Amino acid sequence: MKKVYKLYTYTKNEGVAKTAKRTVKYVIKHTTMVKQPIEILTAIDDVIKADYIHHPYVAPAMKNKKKLKIGWVLSPLSNGAGGQNTIARFARYLSEAGHDVTFYIYENSQAQSLSEAREIMQKSFKLNIPVKKLKNYEESDALIATGWETTYPTFNTETDAHKFYFVQDFEPYFYGVGSQYVLAENTYKMNFYGITAGPWLTKKVSEYGMRSDYFEFGADLDIYRPKQKVQKKKKICFYARPVTERRAFEVGVMALDLFKQKHPEYEIEFMGWDVSNFKLPFKFENRGIITHAELAELYHESVACLVLSLTNVSLLPLELIAAGCVPVMNEGENNRMVLHGKDQYVDYAPTNPIELAEALCKAVERENIDEYAEMAANSVNSLSWDNSYKKVEEIITREVTGS
């Protein structure tokens, strides 16, 4: 109150203009201005230190070993992260094959305790291997970067390990053309050996002179293949990921709006993210992030699923086919090249709402829908992840030991 009264009397005696000027000086003097830091997914210091131009990475001498010590460098683990779940698949196989496998957590924009990382790894990924911070790295035979943000600290890690880059997507496309686009793009110039998810990515990274080899996509038939004869409901589903630009959420919603106008009798279920806060022009059920078992049940009931991929294809199409659900997808080399030979039951359409809606309509208007679903599921009877696991082990072993 004393300060308020002092302000009042000063204003009364000196006038409003002079009081305002003095108040501004007071605020400037007594207020600490908070500067905004430059923030990207990786540490600025790591980017600057990673001088692959003047000090390029050179692979070390081959190692004469049958079982290897393998480190994976990951950003903090996250529940429901599809890319990390795929990494966990391969880490589990390599561990069960007798290799010594460790996850190394790289923290920059997000901190994570080891206890939290272990809990997520065990509960979400059903994996139990050592987890350490990258700053506590122990010498290994192979060190594998994962997302682009982990390549810089991997480059900077002093080690005799052979360095690899596990590439699951063309990550520059995750951004508008700018700093992070360029920084992600530069990671393909670090001379790590690439292990890519499918041949489209092998082709993309080769444009930067990066050597790589790829593994094929698989599907968990024990989860997705129907255990009994399928009888479809009047239902379709949509892989809805508004937080992931490359999944073209808005285009998908427009296509579904057109579809619903022609087929109001069909239910539409969204899965992949909680979209309850979106106002959409048609009724839908918001499933959010659900378990693999719940996904399988949804696929078994649905005639078709709209699943859009503007960069590397997702794992969903093969899982959908195994479940007897027709994937309706956007046309593109990124999708066809990876699914080649397994996409007989994929309905492709150009990436615009009108033609995607037409493809959905054709899928639900197809005669003998239940029989068609059974044929789709039978077309991938021999599909599994086993050959992919063996291929990745073969790549790592070949590059580290020469055998």
Side-chain angles (χ1 to χ4, degrees), residues 7 15 56 67 69 97 118 121 123 161 164 189 197 204-205 209 217 257 285 287-288 328-329 333 347 350 352:
L7 178 65
K67 299 302 179 184
K69 192 170 184 180
R118 290 188 186 103
M121 185 180 68
K123 288 187 176 180
F164 295 85
K189 304 172 184 177
K204 289 296 292 182
V205 300
F217 284 16
D257 187 19
E285 184 174 346
R287 298 291 298 275
V328 175
M329 298 184 63
E333 182 186 52
D347 288 349
N352 70 69

Side-chain angles (χ1 to χ4, degrees), residues 201-222:
L201 284 171
T202 298
K203 178 183 176 185
K204 289 296 292 182
V205 300
S206 71
E207 296 170 8
Y208 300 87
M210 183 176 177
R211 297 179 309 119
S212 64
D213 200 349
Y214 68 88
F215 62 88
E216 300 278 6
F217 284 16
D220 290 319
L221 299 186
D222 290 342

Side-chain angles (χ1 to χ4, degrees), residues 155-300:
F155 183 93
N156 295 332
T157 299
E158 294 184 7
T159 176
D160 286 331
H162 288 252
K163 294 180 180 181
F164 295 85
Y165 190 176
F166 194 78
V167 184
Q168 297 191 69
D169 214 331
F170 188 70
E171 294 182 302
Y173 284 170
F174 293 7
Y175 308 97
V177 178
S179 294
Q180 294 204 85
Y181 181 104
V182 170
L183 291 172
E185 190 177 41
N186 287 344
T187 62
Y188 307 127
K189 304 172 184 177
M190 291 184 175
N191 203 35
F192 296 172
Y193 194 87
I195 303 171
T196 72
W200 180 72
L201 284 171
T202 298
K203 178 183 176 185
K204 289 296 292 182
V205 300
S206 71
E207 296 170 8
Y208 300 87
M210 183 176 177
R211 297 179 309 119
S212 64
D213 200 349
Y214 68 88
F215 62 88
E216 300 278 6
F217 284 16
D220 290 319
L221 299 186
D222 290 342
I223 297 174
Y224 293 103
R225 200 180 191 295
K227 304 298 186 292
Q228 55 192 22
K229 193 173 180 65
V230 170
Q231 187 168 9
K232 295 294 183 181
K233 297 182 179 180
K234 289 192 178 299
K235 179 188 291 186
I236 64 170
C237 53
F238 174 42
Y239 183 43
R241 293 275 303 178
V243 294
T244 310
E245 286 279 335
R246 60 190 180 277
R247 301 304 176 207
F249 173 74
E250 296 81 4
V251 171
V253 167
M254 289 183 271
L256 291 167
D257 187 19
L258 292 170
F259 168 82
K260 188 70 171 174
Q261 291 174 32
K262 293 184 178 180
H263 287 282
E265 76 278 13
Y266 266 78
E267 297 176 43
I268 301 175
E269 294 197 13
F270 284 24
M271 48 57 178
W273 197 255
D274 179 8
V275 294
S276 57
N277 60 326
F278 283 87
K279 183 180 179 182
L280 301 184
F282 52 86
K283 287 181 65 176
F284 69 97
E285 184 174 346
N286 173 45
R287 298 291 298 275
I289 296 175
I290 56 179
T291 66
H292 293 293
E294 290 169 327
L295 278 174
E297 183 180 1
L298 174 59
Y299 298 166
H300 295 161

